[in-house]
Amino acid sequence: MIMFKSGDIVKVLIPNAINTGYDYRLVSAAGVGQMVRCTVMNRPYVGVICGPGDSGLPENKIKNISDVLPYSLPAADLGWISQMSAWTLMPPGAVLRLILNVPDAFTPPRTEQLYSFDFNTTARMTDNRQAVLDAFAANDNEPMSAADIQNIARVSASVVRTMIKNGTLLPTDSRPVAGGGFIHKYSDTGTVVLNDEQQAAAKQIISAIDNGGFAVYLLDGITGSGKTQVYFDAAWRAYNSGASVLLMMPEIALTAQFMTRFEQRFGAPPVVWHSNLTAARRREIWRGVLSGDIRMVVGTRSALFLPWQNLGLIVVDEEHDGSYKQEDMGNYHARDMAILRAKIAGFPVVLASATPGAETLKNVADGKYRALRLTSRYGGAMLPAIATIDIREHRPVPYRAPRADADSDGAISDVLARAIGDTLAAGQQVMLFINRRGFAPIVQCKKCGWVATCPDCSVGMTYHKRMGKLLCHMCGRTAPMVDVCPDCGGRASMRGVGIEKIQEEVMAKFPNARTAIVSSDTIASRQSLERLVAKMEGGELDIIIGTQILAKGHHFPNLTLVGVVDSDMGLFGTDFRAAEHTFQQLFQVAGRAGRGAIPGRVMLQTYQPDHPVFNAICSYDRDSFMAQDMAARRAANMPPYGQLIAIIIEGEKESVLQKYCAELAAAAPDLHGGKIMGPIAAQIYQIRNWYRMRFLIAGGETARLQPVVTRWLEKVRVPANIRVKIDVGPQNFM
Ligand code: ADP
Ligand code: ZN
Ligand code: ZN
């Protein structure tokens, strides 16, 4: 480690959105990577020493460092921060902020009044109360501060006050279990014996761990093949050799079933990191990872930014999942940034998926990643038979709708209805899948064609029956339901089908079946999802109807029929990844069927049964489908055979926005072998009353587009009230 002595001028990176580091004077010795306290414009920060000072400022302009903390980021992390910054075009300080994002990590725990939930309360269980109960459950029912309850349950301060007043929340003196609650001694319980295929895969990863050095493995196994147990083997090897291990997964895959499997395998529950933890917990886990006391964490994408010491293995489960792409606070892809980190520090990464993304498949084809395949379901469970239902031939059967103004057209065809009936009669369970929230996506006047749209966004509003309101899925604004057209006085009617309407239809057609729906509106938290999952496992439900929340991770042995109501939905639109994503999603959903002793079947309702996606799914021919899709992308120079950078420019005033975009267009550089498209109106031109324009920069596989974009944007001054968002490798084209 490079050491500096007292009096030396060093560069300190500050965790904020704009900086690349400021110079300070040391008043005691410290090394590169060491955390220090200093002030910027009189505000205190904890920053990180990243090298010798280089500002050339006169001595008297340079401030002293207030305090050197006894903590460091590993040197490899500094390299990671700067390379991640160069790739994503996030300033280095913004990347550091992802790591140093636990503001009170270095202050003693505050002494706030804590509360526990009174489980004996006789008060009625409202939605708010349920949300609070779930917030406690997400933190093992440990006592919480009022601020935590508010943040995690997403309820208002007055809701919390009322619950304190009426005794649902009880003041308590007991502190949360400090640190020790999260620090476990793991062991390999030896309860799992891998089959031959699993063993072969595990052996390769383990030898990579033993040999050390960077390597990427794609654990490519069909649903139910037991990928988890294979990467558990690898995790154990790395952990047992003294390294730290990160198991990264999408939030919706952090299921109770997963936790149980982890505990069975390693003898103690995992340390779990996600966005719904109390401030105290975040602090304890963050510090535990920093000190090296916590060396194994299961978490969502933000767990990548814990202050890891001696990281020796990262597993990215469901590597193709869209949730790894962060889009609000900076734009990074957690899978790719994990690989970058492993490359710099020199350790292996395991990507696991039944439907790897095109980017990953290309890296396998190029010999950069090694594929390990699991071709059969564990324990000999059969793969489900998958078939399409041509909805043009098998029209959905109308049903009797309870609401007079809703159409009763129905969305479930006779073929699917019969299959549901047979499955229920056999005492087995059904899952229906539709990726559309609410009741009706369109509310339209039958006479003049007027459509209810959000006043702040250029999108239509969806009718949500449970809420009894119209909801904008872009900004969350609600409005009363409209019965009479404001333009012509005609009758407004509901069109299209959302998940709530499917439930209505199912209840009308199968009045004796016990049904539940699962979508992000109806499920306040992972805990409420777990309750439904437990009901499903316990046989208390016959039909579970869900959006993509249900597509992953769950293992219901008695679930033998999966029906997808509208399989075509993802195929429309202009996104070049539409076919890939539809394939992945349908394949994941299909993988829920027949995981136990009884074989399952999958029915996909579609208007275009001849689309290559359906041929591929029904014949389990992923490889030729992806090969075809990728050949088309290669011909069009689209990723993964080309690169894209999107620049979204948002402005409150249309004229200012247009002027700035025109100036940028005039200053556009000549891209040798690439092109700049735009400015054009973004697909959704208005969100929350801000107007949006877009440039798209396309270049070849090896082009270095980032520096060109940086220099280009520097040429034109950004006016007030304009936001410029750079998205390297965009996944979302709205
Ligand atoms: P995948 O993630 O590949 O879809 P899972 O890891 O969920 O598959 O495994 C499917 C089921 O098989 C799980 O219930 C899992 O516990 C079980 N299983 C897989 N491998 C083994 C093994 N070697 N020994 C015992 N059970 C296993
Ligand atoms: Zn009208
Ligand atoms: Zn809106």
Side-chain angles (χ1 to χ4, degrees):
M1 182 161 78
I2 306 167
M3 283 299 293
F4 299 99
K5 55 185 191 308
S6 180
D8 284 353
I9 310 295
V10 292
K11 187 153 141 182
V12 176
L13 193 58
I14 306 294
N16 71 20
I18 44 165
N19 83 101
T20 54
Y22 304 116
D23 283 3
Y24 289 89
R25 185 182 303 98
L26 278 170
V27 292
S28 60
V32 164
Q34 198 144 4
M35 298 181 195
V36 295
R37 282 184 209 281
C38 53
T39 58
V40 180
M41 317 259 264
N42 293 323
R43 274 194 63 186
Y45 280 95
V46 170
V48 173
I49 298 177
C50 59
D54 59 3
S55 66
L57 283 172
E59 283 278 319
N60 59 355
K61 291 270 192 236
I62 293 180
K63 281 182 287 188
N64 286 344
I65 276 173
S66 338
D67 198 4
V68 176
L69 298 169
Y71 307 106
S72 295
L73 291 182
D77 277 13
L78 290 174
W80 184 53
I81 290 171
S82 81
Q83 288 196 34
M84 181 163 164
S85 164
W87 179 258
T88 62
L89 297 180
M90 291 166 75
V95 180
L96 181 65
R97 189 167 58 174
L98 295 169
I99 300 174
L100 298 180
N101 75 338
V102 178
D104 49 1
F106 299 104
T107 48
R110 266 174 291 159
T111 47
E112 289 169 295
Q113 177 61 55
L114 300 178
Y115 299 90
S116 59
F117 195 91
D118 178 12
F119 289 94
N120 300 319
T121 179
T122 50
R124 201 168 46 85
M125 192 51 83
T126 60
D127 284 354
N128 281 334
R129 234 169 242 140
Q130 189 62 61
V132 170
L133 185 57
D134 290 341
F136 275 95
N139 289 278
D140 293 339
N141 290 322
E142 283 190 4
M144 283 202 254
S145 69
D148 277 333
I149 297 171
Q150 234 176 290
N151 292 338
I152 298 171
R154 297 191 187 91
V155 294
S156 68
S158 74
V159 165
V160 175
R161 272 198 304 275
T162 309
M163 291 177 68
I164 292 170
K165 217 181 283 167
N166 71 20
T168 313
L169 291 172
L170 300 172
T172 166
D173 290 334
S174 59
R175 309 295 315 171
V177 188
F182 306 113
I183 295 165
H184 303 294
K185 269 235 140 342
Y186 295 118
S187 57
D188 190 349
T189 55
T191 46
V192 169
V193 182
L194 299 186
N195 64 24
D196 290 349
E197 251 185 351
Q198 290 176 325
Q199 224 163 60
K203 215 174 124 192
Q204 289 214 41
I205 305 169
I206 284 173
S207 73
I209 292 169
D210 291 349
N211 296 336
F214 172 64
V216 182
Y217 288 93
L218 169 64
L219 186 54
D220 177 357
I222 56 170
T223 52
S225 58
K227 296 182 284 294
T228 317
Q229 297 299 353
V230 173
Y231 68 65
F232 276 178
D233 253 42
W236 175 249
R237 185 63 153 225
Y239 180 84
N240 201 35
S241 74
S244 298
V245 176
L246 166 59
L247 305 177
M248 205 160 51
M249 48 189 61
E251 171 108 37
I252 57 173
L254 284 173
T255 59
Q257 283 178 345
F258 179 87
M259 308 302 161
T260 309
R261 248 187 255 167
F262 183 100
E263 188 166 354
Q264 278 167 354
R265 183 71 194 268
F266 297 119
V271 175
V272 183
W273 180 266
H274 53 73
S275 51
N276 284 337
L277 300 175
T278 62
R281 232 166 222 254
R282 296 175 71 78
R283 180 180 183 278
E284 293 301 331
I285 295 175
W286 198 90
R287 292 188 60 123
V289 170
L290 180 66
S291 67
D293 288 333
I294 295 177
R295 289 195 293 112
M296 180 141 64
V297 172
V298 174
T300 54
R301 65 175 178 226
S302 60
L304 180 60
F305 298 95
L306 285 166
W308 291 101
Q309 307 291 314
N310 190 23
L311 203 45
L313 176 71
I314 300 178
V315 174
V316 185
D317 201 358
E318 310 284 2
E319 68 89 27
H320 64 281
D321 195 87
S323 71
Y324 286 120
K325 182 74 198 297
Q326 161 77 31
E327 288 182 329
D328 313 330
M329 301 267 292
N331 279 281
Y332 63 86
H333 200 298
R335 173 197 61 206
D336 299 344
M337 294 307 118
I339 292 169
L340 180 64
R341 184 170 195 152
K343 195 172 180 177
I344 294 170
F347 61 82
V349 173
V350 175
L351 311 178
S353 176
T355 52
E359 280 73 11
T360 297
L361 291 176
K362 176 172 183 295
N363 282 320
V364 170
D366 290 350
K368 291 186 186 157
Y369 302 174
R370 252 161 291 174
L372 308 168
R373 292 199 109 159
L374 303 179
T375 55
S376 58
R377 281 191 157 177
Y378 179 78
M382 302 258 289
L383 282 167
I386 308 177
T388 53
I389 298 173
D390 187 341
I391 210 82
R392 295 166 306 185
E393 263 172 55
H394 302 278
R395 306 298 308 180
V397 186
Y399 69 101
R400 184 191 282 266
R403 247 189 96 130
D405 59 344
D407 70 50
S408 326
D409 284 352
I412 297 174
S413 64
D414 52 350
V415 183
L416 181 56
R418 225 174 307 127
I420 295 173
D422 293 348
T423 307
L424 297 179
Q428 295 157 13
Q429 294 168 309
V430 177
M431 178 183 286
L432 294 179
F433 182 79
I434 178 160
N435 217 352
R436 208 184 274 122
R437 299 187 285 135
F439 189 85
I442 302 165
V443 173
Q444 188 176 35
C445 171
K446 280 197 162 158
K447 221 162 119 196
C448 76
W450 168 90
V451 172
T453 48
C454 175
D456 295 340
C457 309
S458 37
V459 296
M461 293 186 96
T462 301
Y463 174 59
H464 282 247
K465 190 171 181 168
R466 284 181 167 216
M467 269 196 293
K469 280 181 191 152
L470 295 170
L471 176 71
C472 171
H473 285 186
M474 221 50 242
C475 72
R477 184 184 174 120
T478 59
M481 177 56 179
V482 178
D483 296 315
V484 176
C485 171
D487 281 3
C488 77
R491 201 161 69 86
S493 69
M494 296 180 233
R495 295 189 36 205
V497 177
I499 187 168
E500 294 178 337
K501 187 154 191 291
I502 296 292
Q503 186 182 32
E504 184 181 280
E505 181 176 353
V506 165
M507 281 163 45
K509 289 182 174 171
F510 305 95
N512 296 324
R514 296 159 301 172
T515 65
I517 60 173
V518 176
S519 77
S520 55
D521 311 300
T522 62
I523 297 296
S525 66
R526 212 147 30 78
Q527 281 62 41
S528 44
L529 176 59
E530 297 296 356
R531 275 191 297 276
L532 281 180
V533 166
K535 273 184 146 175
M536 190 73 182
E537 284 174 319
E540 292 167 54
L541 284 176
D542 302 308
I543 306 179
I544 193 160
I545 308 162
T547 58
Q548 60 190 2
I549 291 194
L550 260 191
K552 287 196 175 75
H554 303 293
H555 185 75
F556 304 118
N558 200 33
L559 173 69
T560 57
L561 174 66
V562 167
V564 180
V565 175
D566 184 354
S567 320
D568 305 331
M569 216 172 90
L571 287 176
F572 304 118
T574 52
D575 185 346
F576 67 92
R577 291 190 181 91
E580 178 192 342
H581 287 167
T582 302
F583 180 86
Q584 287 166 338
Q585 204 162 65
L586 292 177
F587 201 77
Q588 282 288 347
V589 183
R592 297 310 108 206
R595 291 170 73 99
I598 320 161
R601 56 182 168 158
V602 179
M603 296 184 150
L604 311 173
Q605 297 196 142
T606 168
Y607 283 96
Q608 31 185 339
D610 299 324
H611 193 287
V613 163
F614 297 112
N615 294 332
I617 289 186
C618 295
S619 58
Y620 284 93
D621 192 1
R622 185 194 82 195
D623 291 344
S624 28
F625 170 74
M626 285 306 289
Q628 250 181 51
D629 191 60
M630 288 167 70
R633 291 200 214 172
R634 186 200 287 266
N637 292 321
M638 279 289 141
Y641 301 97
Q643 300 178 63
L644 293 176
I645 296 181
I647 304 177
I648 300 278
I649 302 162
E650 301 177 326
E652 213 170 352
K653 270 194 135 153
E654 213 171 355
S655 56
V656 180
L657 175 67
Q658 296 301 353
K659 182 160 172 282
Y660 174 63
C661 287
E663 283 169 16
L664 270 183
D670 189 12
L671 270 186
H672 307 283
K675 57 184 175 199
I676 296 181
M677 294 166 272
I680 55 161
Q683 229 175 68
I684 298 177
Y685 184 47
Q686 229 184 333
I687 297 181
R688 292 192 170 89
N689 257 327
W690 281 54
Y691 297 90
R692 307 169 72 239
M693 298 291 291
R694 197 184 77 183
F695 286 94
L696 197 59
I697 297 95
E701 219 178 295
T702 53
R704 293 275 294 132
L705 299 176
Q706 283 88 340
V708 182
V709 168
T710 306
R711 279 197 301 272
W712 174 30
L713 292 177
E714 276 168 3
K715 280 198 248 171
V716 185
R717 204 184 58 81
V718 184
N721 290 324
I722 291 283
R723 285 193 293 248
V724 180
K725 294 180 178 165
I726 306 173
D727 189 355
V728 178
Q731 291 276 337
N732 176 344
F733 294 87
M734 291 196 307

